[in-house]
Every structure is written in C-alpha cells, then in structure tokens.
Amino acid sequence: MEEKLHTFLQSGLLEKYLVGDTSITESVEVEHYIDSYPEVNAAYEKLQNNLEIVAKVNAVEAPYGSLDKILKATEEETKVVALKKPNKTPWYSIAASVAAFAFGFYSFTLYQENKELHSENDVVVDELFDLRSDIEKNNSQLNDLALQLQKLNNPDAQKYVFKGNERAKDLKTVAYINPVEKTSMIDVVTLPKLPEEQYYQIWAEFQDKMINLGILDETERRLRPIPYMEDALALSITIENRNGNVPGMDNEVAEILLKNK
C-alpha cells in the first residue's frame, strides 16, 4: 500500500488537480485518494498552502485606489462572484465510477473469453469434420479390402505366382484369376529396382498377339484389379524402355501359364 501511495504522490496528479488541469476520471481518482488516505489529504493541504505562498510572493501591489475603481466598474456591468473551493465529488459518485469501470473490464474479459471459446469451438468442429472424413475414408478402404479378401477366398479363384528369371531374380508377384466371375487381381510382392528409363509391364498372351494390362510399380505394393482376358494363354511381365521400343519376348522376366477351363 505504501508503494501505491508513493507512486500516486509522485505522479503529479495532485498538482494538476489543484490547478484544475485534470480530466474527470483523474479528478475522481484524486478525490478518492484525498478522502481515503490521510497522507494524501495532508499533501493536498500542503500544496494549497504552498500555492497561496507562491501567489503572495509573486503578487504585485496595485496602485492606490485601484480596488475601489475596479469594484465600482464591475458593479455597473457584472456581479462579483466569490470564488469557492471546488466541491469534492461525493463518495457514491466515486463508487459508481469504480463500479462502472469494473463492469466494463468484466464485460471486456467475458467478450475476450467468449471470442476465444468461439475460436476453439471452430477448431474442434473442423477437427471433428476431418475425423469423420478420415473414418469414412477408412471404412471405405476396409470395405474394399473385405471385398478383395472375399474374392481371394472364393473357391473359383485361381492363384498364380510370378517368379523372376535371371534378369529379375527377386521378382515375386501373385495373380488371382476367377474365370467364373471373370475377374483378375494382382498383388505386387517384390520388384527389383530398375534404372529410371525402364519400367515393368504386365501382358496377356494370346496365340497371335500380346495385350497390355498395365504398368507394375515397385512402390505400389498392394492388391489391385487388372483387366480380365478371356481365353488368354499366359500372363507375362516384361522390362520396357521409356524410349518407345516395341515390346518383345526378349524383354520378358516372368511368365505364368493359365489353366484352361
């Protein structure tokens, strides 16, 4: 408390109040301190006395008879009003001002908290939407996986394993073909890494032609469908160049013969 009073006394508000240079808010604050703290009241009385002393020291004696002339002139034109000491603001006005300030501060605090809650609520809602989207996506993937497993477990599905030759010893890929439902799926297990200008391609072989069934990517190791080819004699995997050379059997690295129904 002593530190608070010291800070107030050093702020210069008492001096400004004494000469009428304070705002309404500052006046309320000063009068509150004067009424509440004897130290401030004593300092205020001392300042008043000092002001009177300074005024007397700097006063210039008026010529003889000046006062009578001034009074006579003012009586003819205006009324002389005696100066009074400013009335202090009643305690209830101070209390009302403090209450209003407290209410304003409390309202502002509530507004800030409400704003933060709205912001947090928006974040939670966005996260819930993202979570719901992820759940729906995962459910869709699980459904696809369940369908794929159902196809693999179908008694009519036939399993074929590709094994690489000398050019791709570590190659291993599995094909699942269902001649009854006319579906084909392939599962890339391992594909040896190739130079950037080369890639793996899978083909359906017929008596007189080869049909491209798509590219196999070593980074895409998952079960995926491929076109079903009726009456195909075999499936083969080749290494192709991106320069557009015509595919040939010399490029073949794995082959499976299909069972005839």
Coordinates of all heavy atoms in Angstrom, one line a residue, residues 114-158:
N114 N -15.2 -15.3 -24.5 CA -16.2 -15.8 -25.5 C -15.7 -15.9 -26.9 O -15.9 -16.9 -27.6 CB -17.5 -14.9 -25.5 CG -18.6 -15.5 -26.3 OD1 -19.0 -16.6 -26.0 ND2 -19.1 -14.7 -27.2
K115 N -14.9 -14.9 -27.2 CA -14.2 -15.0 -28.6 C -13.3 -16.1 -28.7 O -13.2 -16.8 -29.7 CB -13.5 -13.6 -28.8 CG -12.9 -13.5 -30.2 CD -12.3 -12.1 -30.3 CE -11.7 -11.9 -31.7 NZ -11.1 -10.6 -31.9
E116 N -12.5 -16.4 -27.6 CA -11.6 -17.5 -27.6 C -12.3 -18.8 -27.7 O -11.9 -19.8 -28.4 CB -10.7 -17.4 -26.4 CG -9.7 -16.2 -26.4 CD -8.9 -16.2 -25.1 OE1 -9.1 -17.0 -24.2 OE2 -8.1 -15.2 -25.0
L117 N -13.4 -18.9 -26.9 CA -14.2 -20.1 -26.9 C -14.8 -20.4 -28.3 O -14.8 -21.5 -28.8 CB -15.4 -20.0 -25.9 CG -14.9 -20.2 -24.4 CD1 -16.2 -19.9 -23.5 CD2 -14.4 -21.5 -24.2
H118 N -15.3 -19.3 -29.0 CA -15.8 -19.5 -30.4 C -14.7 -20.0 -31.3 O -14.9 -20.9 -32.1 CB -16.3 -18.2 -30.9 CG -17.7 -17.9 -30.5 ND1 -18.8 -18.7 -30.9 CD2 -18.3 -17.0 -29.7 CE1 -19.9 -18.2 -30.4 NE2 -19.6 -17.2 -29.7
S119 N -13.5 -19.4 -31.1 CA -12.3 -19.9 -32.0 C -12.0 -21.3 -31.7 O -11.8 -22.1 -32.6 CB -11.1 -19.0 -31.7 OG -10.0 -19.4 -32.4
E120 N -11.9 -21.7 -30.4 CA -11.6 -23.1 -30.0 C -12.7 -24.0 -30.6 O -12.5 -25.1 -31.0 CB -11.5 -23.2 -28.5 CG -10.3 -22.5 -28.0 CD -10.2 -22.6 -26.5 OE1 -11.1 -23.2 -25.9 OE2 -9.2 -22.1 -25.9
N121 N -14.0 -23.5 -30.5 CA -15.1 -24.4 -31.0 C -15.0 -24.6 -32.5 O -15.3 -25.7 -33.0 CB -16.4 -23.7 -30.6 CG -17.6 -24.5 -31.0 OD1 -17.8 -25.6 -30.5 ND2 -18.5 -24.0 -31.9
D122 N -14.6 -23.6 -33.2 CA -14.4 -23.7 -34.7 C -13.3 -24.7 -35.0 O -13.5 -25.6 -35.9 CB -14.0 -22.4 -35.3 CG -15.2 -21.4 -35.3 OD1 -16.4 -21.9 -35.1 OD2 -15.0 -20.2 -35.4
V123 N -12.2 -24.7 -34.2 CA -11.1 -25.7 -34.4 C -11.6 -27.1 -34.1 O -11.4 -28.0 -34.8 CB -10.0 -25.3 -33.4 CG1 -8.9 -26.4 -33.5 CG2 -9.3 -24.0 -33.9
V124 N -12.4 -27.2 -33.0 CA -12.9 -28.6 -32.7 C -13.9 -29.1 -33.7 O -13.8 -30.3 -34.1 CB -13.7 -28.5 -31.3 CG1 -14.4 -29.8 -31.0 CG2 -12.7 -28.2 -30.2
V125 N -14.7 -28.2 -34.3 CA -15.7 -28.6 -35.3 C -14.9 -29.0 -36.6 O -15.2 -30.1 -37.2 CB -16.6 -27.4 -35.7 CG1 -17.4 -27.7 -36.9 CG2 -17.6 -27.2 -34.5
D126 N -13.9 -28.3 -36.9 CA -13.0 -28.6 -38.1 C -12.4 -30.0 -37.9 O -12.3 -30.8 -38.8 CB -12.0 -27.6 -38.4 CG -12.6 -26.3 -38.9 OD1 -13.7 -26.3 -39.4 OD2 -11.9 -25.2 -38.8
E127 N -11.9 -30.2 -36.7 CA -11.2 -31.5 -36.4 C -12.2 -32.6 -36.4 O -11.9 -33.7 -36.9 CB -10.5 -31.4 -35.0 CG -9.3 -30.5 -34.9 CD -8.7 -30.4 -33.6 OE1 -9.3 -30.9 -32.6 OE2 -7.6 -29.9 -33.4
L128 N -13.4 -32.4 -36.0 CA -14.5 -33.4 -36.0 C -14.8 -33.8 -37.4 O -15.0 -34.9 -37.8 CB -15.7 -32.9 -35.3 CG -15.7 -32.9 -33.7 CD1 -16.9 -32.4 -33.1 CD2 -15.4 -34.3 -33.2
F129 N -14.9 -32.7 -38.3 CA -15.2 -33.0 -39.7 C -14.0 -33.8 -40.3 O -14.3 -34.7 -41.1 CB -15.4 -31.7 -40.5 CG -16.8 -31.2 -40.4 CD1 -17.1 -30.0 -39.7 CD2 -17.9 -31.8 -41.0 CE1 -18.4 -29.5 -39.6 CE2 -19.2 -31.4 -40.9 CZ -19.4 -30.2 -40.2
D130 N -12.8 -33.4 -40.0 CA -11.7 -34.1 -40.6 C -11.7 -35.6 -40.1 O -11.4 -36.5 -40.8 CB -10.4 -33.4 -40.1 CG -10.2 -32.1 -40.8 OD1 -10.8 -31.9 -41.8 OD2 -9.4 -31.3 -40.3
L131 N -12.0 -35.7 -38.8 CA -12.0 -37.1 -38.2 C -13.1 -37.9 -38.8 O -12.9 -39.1 -39.2 CB -12.2 -37.0 -36.7 CG -12.3 -38.3 -35.9 CD1 -11.0 -39.1 -36.1 CD2 -12.6 -38.1 -34.4
R132 N -14.3 -37.3 -39.1 CA -15.4 -38.0 -39.7 C -15.0 -38.4 -41.1 O -15.3 -39.5 -41.6 CB -16.6 -37.1 -39.7 CG -17.9 -37.8 -40.3 CD -19.0 -36.9 -40.3 NE -19.4 -36.5 -38.9 CZ -20.3 -35.6 -38.6 NH1 -21.0 -35.0 -39.6 NH2 -20.6 -35.3 -37.4
S133 N -14.3 -37.5 -41.8 CA -13.9 -37.8 -43.2 C -12.9 -38.9 -43.2 O -12.9 -39.8 -44.0 CB -13.2 -36.5 -43.8 OG -12.7 -36.8 -45.1
D134 N -11.9 -38.9 -42.2 CA -11.0 -40.0 -42.1 C -11.6 -41.3 -41.8 O -11.3 -42.4 -42.4 CB -9.9 -39.7 -41.0 CG -9.0 -38.5 -41.4 OD1 -8.9 -38.2 -42.6 OD2 -8.4 -37.9 -40.5
I135 N -12.6 -41.3 -40.9 CA -13.4 -42.5 -40.6 C -14.1 -43.1 -41.8 O -14.1 -44.3 -42.1 CB -14.4 -42.2 -39.4 CG1 -13.6 -42.0 -38.1 CG2 -15.3 -43.4 -39.2 CD1 -14.5 -41.6 -37.0
E136 N -14.7 -42.2 -42.6 CA -15.4 -42.6 -43.8 C -14.5 -43.2 -44.8 O -14.8 -44.2 -45.4 CB -16.2 -41.4 -44.4 CG -17.4 -41.0 -43.5 CD -18.1 -39.7 -44.1 OE1 -17.6 -39.2 -45.1 OE2 -19.1 -39.4 -43.5
K137 N -13.3 -42.5 -44.9 CA -12.3 -43.0 -45.8 C -11.8 -44.4 -45.4 O -11.6 -45.3 -46.2 CB -11.2 -42.0 -45.9 CG -10.1 -42.4 -46.9 CD -9.0 -41.3 -47.0 CE -7.9 -41.7 -47.9 NZ -6.8 -40.6 -48.0
N138 N -11.5 -44.5 -44.1 CA -11.0 -45.8 -43.6 C -12.1 -46.9 -43.8 O -11.8 -48.0 -44.1 CB -10.6 -45.7 -42.1 CG -9.4 -44.8 -41.9 OD1 -8.6 -44.7 -42.8 ND2 -9.2 -44.2 -40.7
N139 N -13.3 -46.5 -43.5 CA -14.4 -47.5 -43.7 C -14.5 -48.0 -45.1 O -14.7 -49.1 -45.4 CB -15.8 -46.9 -43.2 CG -15.9 -46.8 -41.7 OD1 -15.1 -47.5 -41.0 ND2 -16.7 -45.9 -41.2
S140 N -14.3 -47.0 -46.1 CA -14.4 -47.3 -47.5 C -13.2 -48.3 -47.8 O -13.4 -49.2 -48.6 CB -14.3 -46.0 -48.3 OG -14.3 -46.3 -49.7
Q141 N -12.0 -48.0 -47.3 CA -10.9 -48.8 -47.6 C -11.1 -50.2 -47.0 O -10.7 -51.2 -47.6 CB -9.6 -48.2 -47.0 CG -9.2 -46.9 -47.8 CD -8.0 -46.2 -47.1 OE1 -7.6 -46.5 -46.0 NE2 -7.4 -45.3 -47.8
L142 N -11.7 -50.2 -45.8 CA -11.9 -51.5 -45.2 C -12.9 -52.4 -46.0 O -12.8 -53.6 -46.1 CB -12.4 -51.3 -43.7 CG -11.4 -50.9 -42.7 CD1 -12.0 -50.6 -41.4 CD2 -10.3 -51.9 -42.5
N143 N -14.0 -51.7 -46.5 CA -15.0 -52.4 -47.3 C -14.3 -52.9 -48.6 O -14.6 -54.0 -49.0 CB -16.1 -51.4 -47.7 CG -17.0 -51.1 -46.5 OD1 -17.1 -51.8 -45.5 ND2 -17.6 -49.9 -46.5
D144 N -13.4 -52.1 -49.2 CA -12.7 -52.5 -50.4 C -11.9 -53.7 -50.1 O -11.8 -54.7 -50.8 CB -11.9 -51.4 -51.0 CG -12.7 -50.3 -51.6 OD1 -13.9 -50.5 -51.8 OD2 -12.2 -49.2 -51.7
L145 N -11.2 -53.7 -48.9 CA -10.3 -54.8 -48.5 C -11.1 -56.0 -48.3 O -10.7 -57.2 -48.7 CB -9.5 -54.4 -47.3 CG -8.6 -55.4 -46.7 CD1 -7.5 -55.8 -47.8 CD2 -7.9 -54.9 -45.5
A146 N -12.3 -55.9 -47.7 CA -13.2 -57.0 -47.4 C -13.6 -57.7 -48.7 O -13.7 -58.9 -48.8 CB -14.4 -56.6 -46.5
L147 N -14.0 -56.8 -49.7 CA -14.4 -57.4 -51.0 C -13.3 -58.1 -51.6 O -13.5 -59.2 -52.3 CB -14.9 -56.2 -51.9 CG -16.2 -55.6 -51.5 CD1 -16.5 -54.4 -52.3 CD2 -17.4 -56.6 -51.5
Q148 N -12.0 -57.5 -51.5 CA -10.9 -58.2 -52.1 C -10.6 -59.5 -51.5 O -10.3 -60.5 -52.2 CB -9.7 -57.3 -52.0 CG -9.7 -56.0 -52.9 CD -8.6 -55.1 -52.6 OE1 -7.8 -55.3 -51.8 NE2 -8.6 -54.0 -53.4
L149 N -10.7 -59.5 -50.1 CA -10.5 -60.8 -49.4 C -11.5 -61.8 -49.8 O -11.3 -63.0 -49.9 CB -10.5 -60.6 -47.9 CG -9.3 -59.8 -47.4 CD1 -9.5 -59.5 -45.9 CD2 -8.0 -60.5 -47.6
Q150 N -12.8 -61.3 -50.0 CA -13.8 -62.2 -50.4 C -13.6 -62.9 -51.7 O -13.8 -64.0 -52.0 CB -15.2 -61.4 -50.4 CG -16.4 -62.3 -50.7 CD -17.7 -61.5 -50.7 OE1 -17.6 -60.3 -50.4 NE2 -18.8 -62.1 -51.0
K151 N -13.0 -62.0 -52.6 CA -12.7 -62.6 -54.0 C -11.6 -63.6 -53.9 O -11.6 -64.6 -54.6 CB -12.3 -61.4 -54.9 CG -13.5 -60.5 -55.3 CD -13.0 -59.4 -56.2 CE -14.2 -58.5 -56.5 NZ -13.8 -57.4 -57.5
L152 N -10.6 -63.3 -53.0 CA -9.4 -64.2 -52.9 C -9.9 -65.5 -52.3 O -9.3 -66.6 -52.6 CB -8.3 -63.6 -52.0 CG -7.7 -62.3 -52.6 CD1 -6.6 -61.8 -51.7 CD2 -7.1 -62.5 -54.0
N153 N -10.8 -65.5 -51.4 CA -11.3 -66.7 -50.7 C -12.3 -67.5 -51.5 O -12.7 -68.5 -51.1 CB -11.8 -66.3 -49.3 CG -10.8 -65.8 -48.4 OD1 -9.6 -66.2 -48.4 ND2 -11.1 -64.9 -47.5
N154 N -12.7 -66.9 -52.6 CA -13.7 -67.6 -53.4 C -13.1 -68.9 -54.0 O -12.0 -68.9 -54.5 CB -14.1 -66.7 -54.6 CG -15.3 -67.2 -55.4 OD1 -15.3 -68.3 -55.7 ND2 -16.2 -66.3 -55.6
P155 N -13.8 -70.0 -53.9 CA -13.2 -71.3 -54.3 C -12.9 -71.3 -55.8 O -12.1 -72.1 -56.2 CB -14.4 -72.3 -54.0 CG -15.3 -71.6 -53.0 CD -15.1 -70.1 -53.2
D156 N -13.6 -70.4 -56.6 CA -13.3 -70.4 -58.0 C -12.1 -69.6 -58.4 O -11.6 -69.7 -59.5 CB -14.5 -69.8 -58.7 CG -15.8 -70.7 -58.6 OD1 -15.6 -71.9 -58.6 OD2 -16.9 -70.1 -58.4
A157 N -11.5 -68.9 -57.4 CA -10.3 -68.0 -57.7 C -9.1 -68.9 -57.8 O -8.9 -69.8 -56.9 CB -10.1 -67.0 -56.6
Q158 N -8.3 -68.7 -58.8 CA -7.1 -69.5 -59.0 C -5.9 -68.6 -58.8 O -5.8 -67.4 -59.2 CB -7.0 -70.0 -60.4 CG -8.2 -70.9 -60.8 CD -8.3 -71.3 -62.2 OE1 -7.5 -70.9 -63.0 NE2 -9.3 -72.1 -62.6

